Amino acid sequence: MSTPMCSTVIRNWCAGISVALTTLAMGSAADAGCGPAADACTVAEGEYHIVLPKDGATAGVPAVVFLHGYGGSGKAALRNAAMVNGLTKRGYAVIAPTALPRRPGGPRSWAFLPDFGGRDESLFLEAVLQDAEINFNIDRQSVVLSGFSAGGFMVSYLACAHPEQFAAYAPVSGSFWRPQPDGCAGPVRLLHTHGWADDVVPLEGRYLGNRQYQQGDIFAGLDLWRDTNGCTTHAPSRSWKQGDHLRRRWECGPEADIELILVPTGHRVPNDWASWVVNWFENSPLSQ
């Protein structure tokens, strides 16, 4: 695999761990890259954007890598003010890679199924992680992979095939397509968030492309994760309500916990999601 590096034009900006933040009109969230004009960081396999917490860390910076939905981009994903501000205020960097078009000139999306072709997304994200570790002091041992919709599907497939690549996985509104994998490579920490009223990725799944593809059932996906994590029972370790959302948690051993958050909304990233994922990842009492 080629050694990732920032382009010559923006190399000097990538040398440090600080990055200029540009305030967006829609909120106080900022998008950033390897330079003051929010240029993308480039690696051999593609590009990504990054926002760092304002208070720099002397040790490695934890991060959430967030994969955008169908037709989106890394830069556009960072316009989610609630998500970016929520994570950076907790000391986390937000890394937003960009998918490639499935066909020339077409919408960008992630190659989570073999039929979609394209690059090896695991290798691409590995290049992103290496570049961010070198240039932005990211702590490789404290990185959560998350994503929304198509990005959430990509997260689920990567968690299944490469459970050791990230410290934890947190898909939003995306799991597996049918037929889902027969098995996964190993146990994971996984937080799945989904809207009860989601009609784009319904909890039960749906057909797409003249029935050529079928989104999977979220609960069937959770069944696969329980088997993967070696859970001895399908019954959750705990079920509770917090505000307007419902939670279930399965504690199946060290680094093998699963949590489901159901919200009453549709196809979107909940405004409070940043706090939920950090509290869960850090095993905070706030998430219990």
Side-chain angles (χ1 to χ4, degrees):
M1 181 175 64
S2 302
T3 302
M5 64 181 65
C6 292
S7 67
T8 303
V9 176
I10 57 180
R11 186 190 304 274
N12 291 337
W13 289 99
C14 288
I17 63 170
S18 62
V19 65
L21 301 180
T22 303
T23 302
L24 297 170
M26 65 178 293
S28 59
D31 64 1
C34 289
D39 297 318
C41 301
T42 60
V43 295
E45 294 80 4
E47 65 180 42
Y48 69 95
H49 287 78
I50 183 169
V51 176
L52 294 172
K54 292 182 180 179
D55 298 326
T58 54
V61 180
V64 171
V65 175
F66 192 85
L67 307 184
H68 62 78
Y70 181 80
S73 69
K75 185 174 182 178
L78 295 182
R79 294 183 186 138
N80 184 329
M83 179 183 74
V84 175
N85 290 337
L87 290 170
T88 55
K89 286 178 180 178
R90 296 290 295 271
Y92 283 69
V94 186
I95 301 172
T98 295
L100 296 177
R102 290 183 187 166
R103 60 182 182 277
R108 300 183 188 93
S109 195
W110 302 97
F112 54 85
L113 292 181
D115 290 355
F116 295 162
R119 70 188 169 196
D120 184 317
E121 304 290 22
S122 177
L123 291 179
F124 165 58
L125 292 177
E126 187 63 28
V128 169
L129 288 174
Q130 290 179 12
D131 193 76
E133 181 182 28
I134 293 169
N135 293 300
F136 299 105
N137 197 30
I138 298 301
D139 178 5
R140 283 291 304 273
Q141 305 306 310
S142 301
V143 181
V144 179
L145 179 64
S146 183
F148 171 67
S149 195
F153 289 118
M154 187 74 256
V155 170
S156 299
Y157 280 93
L158 287 172
C160 185
H162 305 283
E164 75 294 333
Q165 190 168 14
F166 292 86
Y169 297 84
V172 181
S173 301
S175 182
F176 297 108
W177 284 24
R178 290 188 182 277
Q180 70 180 22
D182 293 329
C184 295
V188 295
R189 297 195 64 204
L190 185 121
L191 172 68
H192 184 99
T193 305
H194 214 101
W196 183 261
D198 192 334
D199 58 2
V200 178
V201 183
L203 286 166
E204 300 80 9
R206 66 177 178 127
Y207 285 102
L208 297 172
N210 294 320
R211 302 179 72 89
Q212 182 180 5
Y213 300 106
Q214 185 181 9
Q215 295 169 350
D217 187 300
I218 300 304
F219 296 99
L222 290 170
D223 190 35
L224 173 58
W225 287 123
R226 286 192 294 266
D227 288 344
T228 298
N229 280 7
C231 299
T232 57
T233 176
H234 286 186
S237 306
R238 186 176 177 221
S239 300
W240 72 105
K241 182 178 180 181
Q242 194 167 41
D244 64 354
H245 60 276
L246 302 174
R247 294 192 177 209
R248 285 178 178 259
R249 185 176 179 92
W250 293 264
E251 296 280 3
C252 301
E255 303 304 312
D257 60 280
I258 307 163
E259 190 165 316
L260 170 68
I261 302 179
L262 288 178
V263 294
T265 57
H267 195 64
R268 59 186 295 269
V269 180
N271 288 337
D272 294 330
W273 177 82
S275 294
W276 299 344
V277 72
V278 172
N279 291 340
W280 167 79
F281 181 57
E282 295 181 351
N283 287 310
S284 167
L286 295 174
S287 69
Q288 306 303 315

